[in-house]
Amino acid sequence: MDLLNTLVDKGLRRELPTREEALAVLATSDDELLDVVAAAGKVRRQWFGRRVKLNYLVNLKSGLCPEDCSYCSQRLGSKAEILKYTWIKPDDASKAAAAGVAGGAKRVCLVASGRGPTDKDVDRVSQTISAIKEQNEGIEVCACLGLLSDGQAGRLREAGADAYNHNLNTSEATYGDICTTHDFADRVSTVQQAQAAGMSACSGLIAGMGETDEDLVDVVFALRDLDPDSVPVNFLIPMEGTPLAGEWNLNPQRALRILAMVRFVCPDSEVRLAGGREVHLRSLQPLALHLVNSIFLGDYLTSEGQAGKDDLAMIEDAGFEVEGAETTTLPQHRRAADAAADDADAGQPAGAAETLAATVPAPTEEARRNLVSVRRRGAGTDLPPNA
């Protein structure tokens, strides 16, 4: 396809595709799916080889959020039967993080529900960052605490936070449809504050909330304008008890096309396959590794993921390798001037993706409900975490 050849050439040059080209990727047919995956896979391998970075979530504070984000099980008015607890202690958070590190994670993501942290919360998270870094040499820490106030980003950076996550989630035009307690500009501002403080920006989206192709392209182009180092792509987990519980708009083929579009628009960014992959990609998860170079290991914030050992087996079986803590993720041109030298083998293209994609029938309504498992282990419980 001329479209795919053009997109590969642009991706290898780090050149932004047009909106029309991005929309065309989403409009490709299932017959063209493997061609789309193979094309985006060339771009992925150019900048990240066959490495897969593992990230591990620790939910520091769960539930009872005053914001009304419709997709979230922790939102104001949520009836989802999730774990609810206040801040866990720094030592307990560090122990939870250690499980992920032992499973191969090189980045620990510290997340807390709420509109944004108080100064006391920043102190508490700073202690947690110190505890994790003291016990896990070379591990990256990313904080995700909501909207930041003046000076808080700098304090987190001084405490040792390497990155800050705050997703844009959907297009600016439709943001008011999913949240009324803050707006799109608030999210953009927080990402910019993190960048100004010297933290690596992590910002992505949620697909499957009933948005149009135009909305998806809009939010990904907005992300490209912000130029985050990491772009998590979440697929809505329709949790019972939330306003979007009935939104089942994705199938594996659609999810793969979305990931490919993101890769073409953000060719040299760390594209992370995040929440909802087990629910919507199902048996085609390994194929997504040809598009993304990063995944979460084990469980998510309020829902359970597949077993950590199965994540590792999937990576190995698909012909990829887990990225070690000694390896720098981003290509040389995206690093700060004082960053470590580029790995000798980074960015070496490999063979084209040849995994065969079978057509997966849509699950029944009962089966869909069974795909979503509320987290009952790990942080905030007495049970060991999944890593």
Side-chain angles (χ1 to χ4, degrees):
M1 295 174 63
D2 290 342
L3 168 68
L4 296 179
N5 290 334
T6 298
L7 289 170
V8 170
D9 289 343
K10 287 185 173 184
L12 300 184
R13 298 194 303 265
R14 294 187 289 130
E15 182 179 334
L16 185 67
T18 66
R19 284 181 52 83
E20 291 72 23
E21 289 166 341
L23 286 167
V25 173
L26 297 177
T28 52
S29 69
D30 288 348
D31 288 342
E32 298 165 318
L33 181 62
L34 280 182
D35 295 329
V36 172
V37 171
K42 292 179 182 178
V43 178
R44 178 252 200 266
R45 291 191 300 275
Q46 171 67 21
W47 302 115
F48 299 98
R50 301 187 73 84
R51 295 176 283 116
V52 178
K53 180 177 181 178
L54 298 182
N55 309 266
Y56 190 70
L57 284 169
V58 178
N59 194 350
L60 300 177
K61 175 175 171 281
S62 182
L64 306 176
C65 181
E67 303 299 285
D68 67 355
C69 306
S70 298
Y71 52 82
C72 185
S73 59
Q74 305 182 76
R75 72 187 297 270
L76 178 69
S78 171
K79 294 180 173 58
E81 297 180 355
I82 61 169
L83 291 170
K84 298 181 180 69
Y85 52 85
T86 191
W87 293 93
I88 62 175
K89 296 178 180 179
D91 285 347
D92 291 335
S94 182
K95 290 177 183 177
V101 173
K106 67 178 291 184
R107 171 174 286 189
V108 174
C109 305
L110 303 176
V111 188
S113 63
R115 178 180 176 84
T118 65
D119 288 340
K120 182 179 179 180
D121 294 336
V122 172
D123 289 339
R124 183 184 284 110
V125 175
S126 296
Q127 294 173 24
T128 301
I129 293 170
S130 296
I132 291 172
K133 292 218 161 189
E134 285 174 5
Q135 298 177 27
N136 302 281
E137 184 177 355
I139 291 302
E140 301 172 5
V141 176
C142 179
C144 178
L145 311 174
L147 301 172
L148 294 174
S149 301
D150 290 345
Q152 290 183 331
R155 291 174 58 196
L156 288 168
R157 182 69 185 113
E158 290 172 4
D162 301 284
Y164 195 84
N165 166 261
H166 201 58
N167 295 329
L168 299 188
N169 290 330
T170 193
S171 69
E172 183 173 12
T174 60
Y175 196 85
D177 294 337
I178 65 166
C179 181
T180 66
T181 49
H182 61 266
D183 59 28
F184 189 85
D186 293 326
R187 289 188 169 266
V188 170
S189 175
T190 288
V191 176
Q192 292 172 333
Q193 287 181 60
Q195 291 172 316
M199 287 187 284
S200 174
C202 174
S203 188
L205 66 143
I206 304 174
M209 297 190 290
E211 70 282 336
T212 65
D213 285 1
E214 288 76 11
D215 290 323
L216 285 171
V217 170
D218 281 350
V219 67
V220 177
F221 271 61
L223 288 166
R224 178 63 185 257
D225 288 343
L226 283 173
D227 198 27
D229 291 326
S230 301
V231 180
V233 181
N234 296 275
F235 299 112
L236 176 70
I237 301 176
M239 297 280 279
E240 293 296 326
T242 66
L244 299 184
E247 295 288 337
W248 290 88
N249 304 305
L250 300 171
N251 61 24
Q253 295 82 5
R254 169 77 169 166
L256 288 169
R257 282 191 285 270
I258 292 169
L259 292 171
M261 185 270 287
V262 175
R263 173 56 72 195
F264 286 129
V265 178
C266 305
D268 59 336
S269 294
E270 175 192 337
V271 177
R272 184 179 310 152
L273 181 55
R277 63 179 165 94
E278 299 91 343
V279 176
H280 297 292
L281 280 163
R282 302 189 288 279
S283 63
L284 295 197
Q285 286 184 72
L287 203 56
L289 296 177
H290 293 275
L291 307 170
V292 306
N293 63 290
S294 179
I295 67 170
F296 280 110
L297 175 73
D299 294 335
Y300 304 99
L301 295 176
T302 63
S303 64
E304 293 184 354
Q306 67 185 22
K309 62 181 178 60
D310 292 338
D311 290 335
L312 298 176
M314 175 180 72
I315 292 169
E316 181 178 4
D317 290 348
F320 292 86
E321 60 184 19
V322 173
E323 182 174 294
E326 73 286 351
T327 303
T328 304
T329 300
L330 296 173
Q332 179 67 46
H333 60 268
R334 290 193 67 93
R335 306 179 201 170
D338 60 348
D342 199 10
D343 300 294
D345 62 344
Q348 296 301 314
E354 294 180 346
T355 307
L356 295 179
T359 299
V360 180
T364 64
E365 183 175 349
E366 181 178 359
R368 284 172 171 171
R369 286 197 295 269
N370 292 337
L371 286 169
V372 180
S373 299
V374 175
R375 181 174 68 85
R376 302 294 185 199
R377 59 195 176 195
T381 77
D382 295 327
L383 299 177
N386 171 28

